[in-house]
């Protein structure tokens, strides 16, 4: 091997060496049986005319090796000084606490909005009795509308609530002597659903209830419009369609214009994936509280009337943030969540 090749080889070994490796290299190159010593020894066996040049070359090699080794030793020492003890007087580094979930952000927007309209924000239990979840809402055991809200029953007959509507009756019962009532109740609900881009077995709802003298459907419509404009912008349109819920009479279904396709139903010539081509997105149900539901809670329907609504914030969050699959909201994917 030429001296140049020796230096090249050593340079790359030195660059990767730690203190122990560096010592091994020193022994291998400069030690008694090292490369340089061998070369110097060989000089003595050369013809006199060649000795001086060979000696100079061997010495030059030794110097190059020494400086390579001492440079690396200095580097290692500097690095070990950087591992100085922790300075407790330094300002701390900010902990990574994750990210607000888009549905939480939206629920915060919504509850803020209703709070500004004079609503109280209340909650109810996620494990509910059949009475509050169904029967007090005119959904008797054999009522066919129970089929649309199949769920996972628990031993003893209680169930993970299928909607937040049970909170209406609970709250009215407790506050029947403190009318009027103006509440919103956000929370999780559970259903036995086949999952797809618009359905998940767990989702949120936000329930609303107003009970006072002289409340009409016009109050409901104005409230829902104010809510949509507040969270989705002034251009969003509200559509109410007649529907049936056992706990409201009359009942309506509320739709908002789809913000993915702006209500066109089409995106680049194909049906909008978000609204299925209709231009509208179904947000939930609403209506005038059924007189029997008021009676079930101990309120006289001859004196008081009310409206109620319930809808899914995932749908609205999907609209607002342009998410085309609500299942994303339940996947623990920080890359997804950090976009909001
Ligand atoms: N509970 C209904 C559901 O889960 C939504 C709903 C409809 C709530 C009408 C209401 C209402 O308060 O009045 O589909």
């Amino acid at each position: 091997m030429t001296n140049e090749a020796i230096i090249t080889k050593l340079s790359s070994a030195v660059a990767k060496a730690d203190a122990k490796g560096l010592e091994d290299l020193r022994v291998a190159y400069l030690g008694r049986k090292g490369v340089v010593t061998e070369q110097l020894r060989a000089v003595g066996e050369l013809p006199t005319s060649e000795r001086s040049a060979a000696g100079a070359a061997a010495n030059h090699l030794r110097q190059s090796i020494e400086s390579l080794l001492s440079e690396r030793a200095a580097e290692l020492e500097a690095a070990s000084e950087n591992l100085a003890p922790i300075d407790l007087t330094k300002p701390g580094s900010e902990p990574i606490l994750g990210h607000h979930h888009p549905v939480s952000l939206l629920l915060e927007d919504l509850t803020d909005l209703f709070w500004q309209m004079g609503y109280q924000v209340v909650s109810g239990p996620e494990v509910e009795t059949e009475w509050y979840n169904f029967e007090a809402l005119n959904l008797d055991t054999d009522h066919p509308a129970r089929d649309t809200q199949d769920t996972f029953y628990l031993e003893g007959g209680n169930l993970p609530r299928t909607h937040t509507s049970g909170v209406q009756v609970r709250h009215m019962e407790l506050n029947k002597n403190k009318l009027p009532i103006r509440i919103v109740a956000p929370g999780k609900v559970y259903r036995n659903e086949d999952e797809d881009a618009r359905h998940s077995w767990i989702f949120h709802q936000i329930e609303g209830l107003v009970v006072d003298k002289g409340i009409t459907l016009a109050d409901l419509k104005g409230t829902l419009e104010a809510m949509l404009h507040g969270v989705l912008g002034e251009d969003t349109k509200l559509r109410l369609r007649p529907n049936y819920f056992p706990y409201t009479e009359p009942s309506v279904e509320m739709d908002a214009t789809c913000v993915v396709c702006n209500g066109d139903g089409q995106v680049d010539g194909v049906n909008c994936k978000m609204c299925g081509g209709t231009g509208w997105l179904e947000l939930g149900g609403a209506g005038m509280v059924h007189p029997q539901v008021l009676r079930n809670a101990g309120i006289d329907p001859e004196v008081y009337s009310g409206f109620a609504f319930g809808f899914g914030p995932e749908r609205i969050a999907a609209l607002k943030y342009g998410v085309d699959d609500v299942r994303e909201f339940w996947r623990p994917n920080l890359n997804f969540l950090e976009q909001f």
Side-chain angles (χ1 to χ4, degrees):
M1 214 190 288
T2 66
N3 284 357
E4 239 175 50
I6 290 172
I7 289 294
T8 311
K9 188 175 161 209
L10 179 65
S11 304
S12 69
V14 158
K16 286 181 241 145
D18 57 9
K20 160 91 176 56
L22 209 57
E23 177 57 17
D24 293 347
L25 289 170
R26 199 189 61 76
V27 170
Y29 284 82
L30 301 176
R32 272 194 300 121
K33 292 182 187 156
V35 178
V36 175
T37 318
E38 298 286 7
Q39 257 193 38
L40 286 168
R41 224 179 260 136
V43 171
E45 280 150 35
L46 289 172
T48 328
S49 60
E50 286 174 43
R51 278 188 203 167
S52 144
N59 272 322
H60 182 70
L61 178 66
R62 194 190 58 210
Q63 278 165 12
S64 305
I65 292 173
E66 276 170 357
S67 64
L68 271 180
L69 294 175
S70 63
E71 267 166 36
R72 177 65 183 155
E75 242 177 54
L76 288 174
E77 188 168 330
S80 77
E81 270 166 16
N82 284 341
L83 299 173
I86 296 167
D87 179 357
L88 294 176
T89 62
K90 272 189 183 169
S93 47
E94 215 172 302
I96 300 168
L97 291 178
H99 196 273
H100 279 293
H101 193 281
V103 173
S104 305
L105 292 173
L106 190 89
L107 278 175
E108 234 165 74
D109 281 0
L110 276 172
T111 46
D112 261 10
L113 211 88
F114 281 110
W115 181 78
Q116 285 168 35
M117 292 196 271
Y119 285 60
Q120 207 185 331
V121 181
V122 304
S123 62
E126 277 180 38
V127 172
E128 191 51 288
T129 63
E130 280 201 87
W131 168 256
Y132 286 114
N133 197 79
F134 292 128
E135 282 149 29
L137 297 167
N138 289 338
L139 279 147
D140 277 341
T141 320
D142 297 328
H143 200 292
R146 277 206 191 191
D147 288 352
T148 61
Q149 298 200 7
D150 187 20
T151 185
F152 316 94
Y153 283 80
L154 305 172
E155 272 176 38
N158 290 343
L159 53 138
R161 64 181 176 188
T162 58
H163 54 181
T164 43
S165 300
V167 185
Q168 288 184 31
V169 186
R170 284 181 175 276
H171 191 85
M172 283 193 285
E173 244 173 27
L174 285 174
N175 295 279
K176 59 184 174 227
N177 298 320
K178 288 184 252 163
L179 298 164
I181 286 170
R182 251 184 252 111
I183 55 160
V184 281
K188 292 193 200 78
V189 303
Y190 306 82
R191 289 196 198 167
N192 182 8
E193 291 263 10
D194 285 335
E195 299 212 331
D196 60 30
R198 296 200 295 153
H199 297 93
S200 147
W201 61 268
I202 179 171
F203 53 100
H204 289 84
Q205 281 193 341
I206 183 164
E207 191 79 18
L209 173 71
V210 169
V211 181
D212 202 352
K213 288 177 180 157
I215 297 291
T216 71
L217 196 68
D219 298 312
L220 171 64
K221 193 175 176 211
T223 304
L224 295 177
E225 233 157 28
M227 187 268 303
L228 276 190
H229 290 169
V231 288
L232 292 178
E234 296 289 328
D235 296 340
T236 314
K237 290 193 188 69
L238 171 76
R239 181 174 75 173
L240 297 180
R241 288 176 289 121
N243 199 350
Y244 169 74
F245 297 103
Y247 32 101
T248 42
E249 183 57 39
S251 302
V252 293
E253 193 79 29
M254 50 174 150
D255 302 333
T257 37
C258 178
V259 293
V260 171
C261 63
N262 292 320
D264 288 348
Q266 303 270 309
V267 177
D268 299 331
V270 288
N271 273 357
C272 172
K273 206 173 146 196
M274 172 62 76
C275 61
T278 63
W280 294 94
L281 203 87
E282 191 184 304
L283 294 182
M288 300 306 292
V289 182
H290 195 288
Q292 185 55 42
V293 175
L294 292 172
R295 257 183 242 117
N296 287 345
I299 293 174
D300 184 356
E302 298 299 325
V303 183
Y304 289 96
S305 59
F307 67 71
F309 56 84
F311 52 87
E314 273 85 357
R315 288 279 171 86
I316 302 184
L319 274 175
K320 183 166 175 160
Y321 300 119
V323 174
D324 59 8
D325 190 334
V326 294
R327 287 168 296 188
E328 279 301 341
F329 291 132
W330 297 96
R331 289 177 185 145
N333 178 358
L334 254 188
N335 286 340
F336 168 76
L337 297 176
E338 278 171 356
Q339 298 172 62
F340 306 102

